[in-house]
Structure formats: structure tokens, C-alpha cells
Amino acid sequence: MTRSYSTKALKKNMVYSTQDLARIYDVSANTVTNWTKHGLRKSDKQQPHLFRGAVVNAFHKQRRMRSKTRLRPGEVKCTGCKLAVFLEVETLTERIVGKGTHMCFGRCPECGAHVQKITSQADRDYFVALRNPNTTVDSLHEEFREDLGGVGKDEEIYPPSVSTANDRLIYKWQNYAGCYDDKTVDRHLSAIRLMEEILGGKPFDQLTSHDVGLVREELKKSLLAVNELQRSKSTVAHTASHLTMFLQWLLKQDGYKRLPRDLPDYLKLPKSVYSASLTKQKRPYPTLDEAETLLREMPARSLKDQRSKAIFAMAFLGGLRADTLASLRVCHFDPVKKLIIQDASIVRTKNGKSLNINWFPIPKIFGDVVTDWVSRLEALGIGGLDALFPSEAILSSGEHVDQSQREPIIPTGTKHVVTEAFKVACRNSDVKYTPHSARHMLAAERDARPLTHEQRKAWSEAMGHEKEQTTDVHYGRLTDERRTELFRQIFEGKSATITELSDEAKIKIIDLVLEEIK
């Protein structure tokens, strides 16, 4: 049986202890120790041993690649875990079989499977050295480190940018950062690793005001860059904020209190830099009529097609973010109360925010499509805590029929199903909309309707915004064409009051209101 860790990836910026790796990969601490003997690089020589996520990922990737290339002397391909491993001397036996063929037998140190190999002279020389009490296993494996089975040298597996000098400090910070959401921790770690990369892996206990100034200058340059190195105003502002908070925490730690107390102040960026940076092109979003047309034209032949159609409709019905949408359960959709329950204890939400979202007042077809999809799932035996948008493999299997004999169907771990649904919807469109465009459309729709101040506030809160200004600043921005049209109307003395709307527009608004009352 193949070990689960063969394809499991850690977060590259995080630091893990031996116990963390044993828990994540479901192996013993001895297995992790064996990994270090076979080339896994520790962050330092101190106890307890720590490991950088990127280094562990590279180690397992190299081992997977090793199993597909020529084995090194003493190495055996295990038929159990599919890895290239060195046998432990305690389990190693050799004998001659057939017409003088030399073979070795032993137990895989990873999965415990029995393995065997026809040995060469180089293999036998390795085994002789392995049994020599004056030769350590580490020194034997060190002889082979220069050639990693065609992968490249050690620097290519563990690039110089992957510094481990600050891993022990960052591991301590991770324990402190447990008060944050997991995604927030990832963003903070990304900022910390960026500072480490800019400073060439310099230990943080040697930081100077000049070093922090260099980080600030690199952030300023990234705002003005015109290539792939460019960062948005929001990214730079958040990175500077995350680093400021990290430095404030750092100055309180034992061994770091002698650092200059004003280090966080050196990360302040002038407003002129933000103003001078290039404005990114605004992402397009459809009008309500365009979204309805796209929905009506989506195929519905297979369960996969119907799932994509329901996902697209749900995005506009509740203004949900892609990751939240992909993680919903059937019980979170209430067609009777016209409610979407965003339960942060189960659903992947931004900032762990729970909400009861009333359906937005948009054409009836959006609600009907999702309601029909739920009815189809219930006919298949899917409901309650089962995923609202199960994977294609689940939809095509029959294992889900008897709910009493199985665990709830888990939603997909990524937002890929949502992205694919929008691709299907836009397959015949010149403009390719993203899942986030649904939120922009809803914000623009709010501004286009004659709503009271209280109604506008309710609309923003349904989008997950406590302040109306959040909706105003970040969503539904006017396109250049729409702005030009509005200015033309202003010059002509026109205004978009309810009394001056076209008869068709008035009828549409009245129909939507009556529909909501019903």
C-alpha cells in the first residue's frame, strides 16, 4: 500500500516539529528520524528537531523522482510504499541463488514491507561498509548526496532561497499566531519569508534599521514594477502591516530585546508611492441581464452540467465567495425561507464570519435552478450535512445512496468546481467572468436601484460587509463606458429617479418586489 505522505504537501513557509510531521503523515517519530538519515535536512542542530515545510516537500519530491531512475548502490525499490530506500542493517540478509546470482533481502524502513533486490558489486561493497562499526550511516549516504538520481545537486533540491536560519524563531511565532485564522497566518508567514528572502536569509537577531529600510525599498520598487514582480497597492500595504506586527512581537522576545526599538517605524511607506503605482485594469462583471442570459444558455445534460449551472446561479443568489460556495452543505440552503446559511464552523469563510444571507432580489430563475439541483441531490440520497456541490466522482458513484450507512459527503477541498462552472457559463462569451464578478454585479445592482439608506445597509450586510463603505470602495466600480454614459445623462439633464425610468424598467422592479413579498 502506498504511503499517504507520498503526495501530501506541507505549507512551504511553515515550520514543523518531529511530532508535527508524525501526526500529519500518520507515521512514527522513528520514521521521521529515518528521513533525516536519508537526506531530510533539519533546520538546525538543536532539540527538538524542526523542519521547514518547503524542505520536507522537496525531500519527498526527490524521493519520488529517485524511485523512477537508476538506483544508487545499496538502494532498493520498495513494492509497498513505492519509494527508493536504504535497508536497515538489522534486517539485511544476503544469499546466492540460481546460477551464482547475488540477492539481498530486508524490510523497508518506511512501511515495513519485505523487499529484495539482485545486487551488484557496488551494492555489496555498500553492505560491507554498512556493517563496519567504524562507518556511520550518515557518512555513507553523504557520499551519494552529490548525485540525486538525475534530479540535480543538493542546491537544486533545496534552493539557496530556502533559508532555515530563523525557523526556530518562526516556530515560536506560529504558536503565538494561533489567535489568527489559518489564512491570516499564511499571509503573515508569506510576508515574514519575503523579508527573510530580501535579506538573504540573515538571522533576525542581527536585524538593523538599515535591513528593514532595504525591505521597505523593495516593497516600493514592487509597486512601480511593470513585470511579474509587480505587487498591488493592497498587497504591499498588507505586507508592510504584517511585517510591522511581526517586528513588534519580535522586540518582546528574549534575546531580541537589544534590537533597535524603532525597527517597525522603518516600514512606513509614503502615500506618494501608492499614488504613483500603476492602477491595475478593472476586472469586468456582467449586468444582471447578462448573468441571466449566461445562466439560461448553460448546458444541463449531465449531473456535472447541472452542478455547474447550480453553482453559477448560487454565486449570484447569495453573493458568496468561491471558497465559501464550494464548501457549502445541503442543509445550508433553505428554499422555503429563501435563506443561505453561512456557518463558519463548517464552511470555509473569510475571517471566520457566520451569516444568514437572504436571497438577493434577482430574477426567479436563479433560485429555481439551485432548488431543482437540491431536489435532484435528494433523489440520489444526498442531503443534510452532505456537500451541496459534491465531486464528480461522488456524483457518478452509487455509494452515497444509503445515508444511514456512511459518513457525510465532504465538500471539495478547493474552489476549482466554482471556477470551472464560470468557465462553462462563459464558454460562448467574449468576456470571461470570474466567480468574484458576481459580487461586483450585486454591488453595482444595489447602486442602480432606488433604495433607502436602511435598504442599502441591509444589502451590504448580506454581502458580508459591516460598513457600506466597504461595498462602495471595493465592489461594483464603474467601467469607463458606464461613466461616460452617466456624464452624458448629466449633461442632458437626465436623472435615474424611479419616476423617470422606462416602463420596462418600472415593470421589472415591481415584479421583483412582488416576488419577494410572495
Side-chain angles (χ1 to χ4, degrees), residues 233-437:
K233 299 176 185 179
S234 176
T235 299
V236 170
H238 280 91
T239 300
S241 174
H242 297 336
L243 289 177
T244 298
M245 294 175 64
F246 173 73
L247 290 176
Q248 290 171 346
W249 171 85
L250 182 67
L251 292 173
K252 299 176 184 178
Q253 307 309 306
D254 293 338
Y256 297 85
K257 295 179 180 179
R258 58 181 177 75
L259 294 174
R261 309 305 298 175
D262 60 348
L263 284 182
D265 298 336
Y266 283 82
L267 284 168
K268 293 180 180 178
L269 297 170
K271 292 183 179 180
S272 59
V273 176
Y274 290 114
S275 301
S277 63
L278 294 175
T279 303
K280 284 193 173 182
Q281 187 176 4
K282 297 173 185 175
R283 291 186 175 180
Y285 57 87
T287 64
L288 183 55
D289 289 339
E290 290 170 342
E292 182 179 353
T293 300
L294 290 174
L295 179 62
R296 291 184 183 278
E297 294 178 351
M298 290 182 71
R301 293 182 295 273
S302 65
L303 282 175
K304 182 180 179 182
D305 290 339
Q306 294 168 25
R307 182 190 65 180
S308 295
K309 194 167 185 176
I311 289 173
F312 186 79
M314 190 76 157
F316 291 90
L317 196 62
L320 300 167
R321 289 180 170 84
D323 206 29
T324 301
L325 188 57
S327 60
L328 288 175
R329 311 291 180 112
V330 176
C331 61
H332 295 146
F333 181 78
D334 189 340
V336 177
K337 296 181 179 179
K338 294 187 176 182
L339 200 67
I340 299 169
I341 302 168
Q342 182 177 297
D343 184 356
S345 65
I346 304 176
V347 177
R348 301 191 294 269
T349 66
K350 183 177 181 180
N351 297 327
K353 191 180 296 182
S354 293
L355 289 172
N356 286 339
I357 304 171
N358 297 98
W359 296 4
F360 283 94
I362 56 179
K364 186 172 180 290
I365 185 176
F366 287 88
D368 289 345
V369 167
V370 186
T371 302
D372 292 343
W373 169 249
V374 172
S375 298
R376 177 58 62 89
L377 290 179
E378 291 173 347
L380 294 172
I382 299 176
L385 286 172
D386 291 331
L388 181 57
F389 304 112
S391 66
E392 187 177 358
I394 292 293
L395 292 176
S396 60
S397 69
E399 299 177 359
H400 52 268
V401 176
D402 189 357
Q403 294 187 56
S404 63
Q405 301 297 323
R406 61 169 173 80
E407 295 293 325
I409 297 172
I410 305 300
T412 57
T414 67
K415 55 188 178 183
H416 178 71
V417 290
V418 181
T419 304
E420 286 299 310
F422 272 73
K423 286 182 179 179
V424 172
C426 301
R427 69 197 186 288
N428 298 324
S429 174
D430 294 333
V431 183
K432 307 303 178 185
Y433 299 112
T434 65
H436 214 61
S437 66

Side-chain angles (χ1 to χ4, degrees), residues 2 82 86 123 129 146 168 187 189 196 205 216 251 254 265 301 318 336 338 352 358 375 450:
T2 302
K82 310 301 181 185
F86 288 100
D123 291 321
E146 288 301 314
R168 195 159 293 276
R187 295 188 187 101
L189 277 174
E196 188 178 48
D205 60 355
R216 179 194 61 213
L251 292 173
D254 293 338
D265 298 336
R301 293 182 295 273
V336 177
K338 294 187 176 182
N358 297 98
S375 298

Side-chain angles (χ1 to χ4, degrees), residues 121 150 170 191 213 280 363 470:
Q121 185 60 50
I170 292 175
K280 284 193 173 182
T470 304

